[in-house]
Amino acid sequence: MTMSWPRVGFLAAAIGMLTAAVLPLSSEPSQSLFARPGLLLATLLATALYAGAALVTAWRSIALTLAGVVLSCCVTLVLLRDPSIAGTATWGLWLAVLATWVAAWLGVTRLASVKPHDKTASRAIDLAIPLLFGAFIFYLWEVAVRGFGVPSVLLPPPSAIAVRFFGSLWMLWQDFFQTFVLGVLIGYVIGCGAGFLVAVVAHRYTFLGRGLLPIGNFVSALPIVGVAPIMVMWFGFDWPSKAAVVVVITFFPMLVNTLAGLNAAGHIERDLMRSYGAGHTQTLQKLYLPAAMPFIFNALKINSTLAFIGAIVAEFFGTPTVGIGFRISIEAGRMALDVVWAEIALAAIAGMAFYGIVALAERATTFWHPSYRT
């Protein structure tokens, strides 16, 4: 058996877990792992799994590594629930965390190197890799905050954020409805729709496009914090002012991208349409719009994130007593950081879902594009 770097890494992780079992866990008086039979058994089993991962094939090593990482994570998280260890952890705990990190890194690397022929398995692996990576990031966050004793007013652990999130679902729904459904979606549809229609007209009349693009560059450079108070003064404190901010933010990215897409059709294709005697409307439907679809969806994806940011920032300048931006501003002043992070998590989940829906619509609409065929 040759000793490759992955095998050396797995053996190092196994040695690290075994060494962590005999080192002190805290700078304060606390029970060692030998006084905790269940955790000691889990630690030894994780050590055996890491050692076994160094001796078997790649597929089997992935399964052994995953099981070992889960055990190691459970051991360290249970230890950090002990008040005598949380905030005063020493090398006994950190060496176990380091060994877990090495094993997780090697396991995900091996999983990423697997190229199955079955499309379902390939898609499952493509989905599993970011999920595993994200889960381990949250684990490191939890361990770092509890192990170093970081005050919750500075950075709460993910577990506290999750408890607050699931304990405040009704409040989060109200904030989500006010910010996303009323502010983001309405402004997104109006802004993107208006940008698209103006781009079509500007493509038909060249002078209009030349006049609008410099104005678009100027408006896109305006800071949100300067536009939002003006919109609040014009449209009031409720959702119309937030939707207006979203319209301003999303209009010009859609205009610029759609114009670029409409101009992407080549001279040969245009000459062919003229040789067929096609009018402008037919050419627009059969040539210009299909060529512009990737550009249009690029603008839609960009605007899906810009719209959310704009609506949340606008709520800092005046809003009813609901909304993600309002809640973040109020609860940050009260030092309720768990609520603030719960709202941030809500915004992140909604933003990713919104972007994902647009990306799926793009794939279903532009499946003919070379980027999807290759």
Side-chain angles (χ1 to χ4, degrees):
M1 181 184 66
T2 58
M3 291 300 291
S4 60
W5 281 112
R7 286 194 173 97
V8 172
F10 284 125
L11 291 176
I15 294 172
M17 288 298 296
L18 192 60
T19 306
V22 299
L23 292 177
L25 299 171
S26 173
S27 58
E28 301 293 332
S30 63
Q31 291 181 329
S32 66
L33 276 178
F34 290 96
R36 310 168 194 258
L39 295 181
L40 178 62
L41 179 61
T43 302
L44 296 177
L45 182 56
T47 301
L49 290 171
Y50 293 154
L55 306 175
V56 298
T57 59
W59 266 110
R60 293 179 179 177
S61 69
I62 293 172
L64 293 178
T65 304
L66 180 60
V69 168
V70 171
L71 276 175
S72 300
C73 291
C74 291
V75 168
T76 51
L77 290 175
V78 171
L79 287 173
L80 286 172
R81 294 180 64 88
D82 188 342
S84 64
I85 298 176
T88 59
T90 54
W91 275 108
L93 180 79
W94 297 123
L95 189 58
V97 173
L98 180 61
T100 306
W101 175 79
V102 171
W105 171 53
L106 292 172
V108 172
T109 301
R110 283 201 166 180
L111 183 62
S113 65
V114 174
K115 302 298 181 184
H117 297 290
D118 183 48
K119 289 186 177 180
T120 303
S122 179
R123 290 177 180 175
I125 291 175
D126 291 340
L127 180 62
I129 291 173
L131 289 178
L132 291 173
F133 183 83
F136 199 77
I137 291 296
F138 282 114
Y139 161 75
L140 292 178
W141 179 358
E142 181 82 20
V143 168
V145 170
R146 293 193 180 277
F148 290 112
V150 179
S152 60
V153 295
L154 296 180
L155 183 64
S159 58
I161 297 172
V163 170
R164 173 60 69 177
F165 186 94
F166 290 105
S168 308
L169 290 178
W170 176 243
M171 179 189 72
L172 294 174
W173 163 250
Q174 291 179 308
D175 294 338
F176 171 80
F177 186 84
Q178 174 72 22
T179 301
F180 184 79
V181 177
L182 297 181
V184 173
L185 280 184
I186 295 177
Y188 182 83
V189 171
I190 296 174
C192 292
F196 173 79
L197 294 176
V198 173
V200 172
V201 176
H203 177 259
R204 180 69 176 87
Y205 303 100
T206 308
F207 75 93
L208 186 59
R210 292 177 179 176
L212 282 175
L213 284 179
I215 299 175
N217 293 331
F218 172 76
V219 175
S220 62
L222 293 176
I224 301 176
V225 293
V227 175
I230 297 174
M231 295 301 169
V232 170
M233 290 167 50
W234 286 359
F235 298 101
F237 289 95
D238 211 342
W239 64 266
S241 58
K242 286 64 183 176
V245 173
V246 174
V247 169
V248 173
I249 292 175
T250 59
F251 176 82
F252 288 101
M254 175 58 74
L255 171 64
V256 172
N257 278 273
T258 304
L259 269 177
L262 292 173
N263 292 323
H267 293 286
I268 296 176
E269 291 85 355
R270 281 180 270 179
D271 291 341
L272 180 63
M273 295 299 292
R274 278 195 293 267
S275 68
Y276 287 156
H280 178 75
T281 302
Q282 290 177 313
T283 306
L284 178 67
Q285 295 175 349
K286 303 296 184 179
L287 176 61
Y288 291 131
L289 284 181
M293 290 306 291
F295 294 84
I296 294 172
F297 275 103
N298 185 50
L300 289 173
K301 290 189 290 186
I302 293 172
N303 285 340
S304 67
T305 56
L306 290 179
F308 224 127
I309 295 171
I312 291 175
V313 172
E315 289 181 345
F316 281 80
F317 296 92
T319 184
T321 57
V322 287
I324 296 176
F326 164 80
R327 196 76 58 189
I328 290 174
S329 176
I330 293 299
E331 299 301 335
R334 296 174 179 173
M335 303 300 287
L337 269 295
D338 54 346
V339 179
V340 173
W341 278 98
E343 295 285 347
I344 292 173
L346 172 65
I349 293 170
M352 288 190 297
F354 192 20
Y355 184 93
I357 291 171
V358 175
L360 289 175
E362 177 187 22
R363 191 173 186 87
T365 306
T366 61
F367 58 89
W368 48 267
H369 196 263
S371 60
Y372 292 112
R373 288 183 290 161
T374 55

